[in-house]
Amino acid sequence: MFCCDGASFGNPGVAGFGVVIRDHLCQVLGVISGGIDIATNYLAEVYAIICAVELAVEWQIQEAILNLDYKTMVTEFVRNRMPWFFKMRWKKAIAKIHSLQFKHSFRETNFSADTATKKELSWQQVKEKFTMVDQVFLSRIELPNIAYYRMC
């Protein structure tokens, strides 16, 4: 499972993404994050998804779940709709994946990816970069079969 998130300080503003990679037992395998210069929240989210799928291909993962807290993004990608400048990267990556599922969760239950993204933004990185970062900064991660509540 790839828990993906993107954000920007300002819209548009300094933007970044974070992806927390977990196995079938929900153990954290790694975290990637990156700064992508000036962009909107939407583009940062798209970038997170593309990077997650490209990493799955690199690790030769055949079945993946993308966990997103942006419901519009789930709808757009299921319908194969994304900004034109990402289409070729997307098509190339998904051609090598056997099964790809999208899962929507509320922002409050996608907090590990949100933490990775915010950490990247706090570094004020404005260059595209990919780093496998140590998970030590994750004070907690989402767990299966735990009830998380959203207060409206």
Side-chain angles (χ1 to χ4, degrees):
M1 179 163 57
F2 295 80
C3 300
C4 307
D5 195 27
S8 66
F9 286 148
N11 202 18
V14 175
F17 70 94
V19 179
V20 177
I21 305 99
R22 300 170 68 175
D23 66 12
H24 65 287
L25 300 173
C26 292
Q27 299 298 310
V28 176
L29 300 176
V31 179
I32 61 170
S33 63
I36 56 172
D37 207 356
I38 305 298
T40 63
N41 292 338
Y42 180 85
L43 290 177
E45 293 273 352
V46 171
Y47 206 83
I49 294 166
I50 300 289
C51 290
V53 174
E54 287 175 341
L55 183 64
V57 169
E58 185 178 321
W59 286 5
Q60 299 178 348
I61 295 171
Q62 292 296 308
E63 297 178 3
I65 299 169
L66 297 178
N67 184 35
L68 314 166
D69 61 15
Y70 194 174
K71 193 165 189 166
T72 301
M73 206 55 57
V74 173
T75 306
E76 294 287 300
F77 272 81
V78 166
R79 294 180 180 164
N80 204 28
R81 296 178 61 186
M82 70 230 31
W84 64 270
F85 45 88
F86 282 119
K87 281 214 183 236
M88 288 310 294
R89 282 178 71 176
W90 175 251
K91 286 181 180 182
K92 183 178 176 184
I94 63 167
K96 297 177 182 175
I97 302 281
H98 180 262
S99 171
L100 184 62
Q101 297 176 27
F102 289 89
K103 178 180 181 256
H104 173 259
S105 63
F106 291 114
R107 179 174 295 125
E108 294 82 359
T109 59
N110 196 25
F111 49 81
S112 60
D114 184 63
T115 302
T117 301
K118 296 295 188 325
K119 183 171 178 41
E120 187 62 39
L121 288 174
S122 69
W123 291 340
Q124 294 294 313
Q125 296 293 328
V126 294
K127 292 183 179 175
E128 179 180 317
K129 73 178 192 73
F130 300 93
T131 53
M132 286 296 291
V133 294
D134 191 353
Q135 303 104 317
V136 173
F137 71 89
L138 293 176
S139 58
R140 62 190 187 129
I141 60 168
E142 308 85 351
L143 297 172
N145 304 319
I146 300 290
Y148 294 98
Y149 296 95
R150 181 176 192 185
M151 304 301 173
C152 296

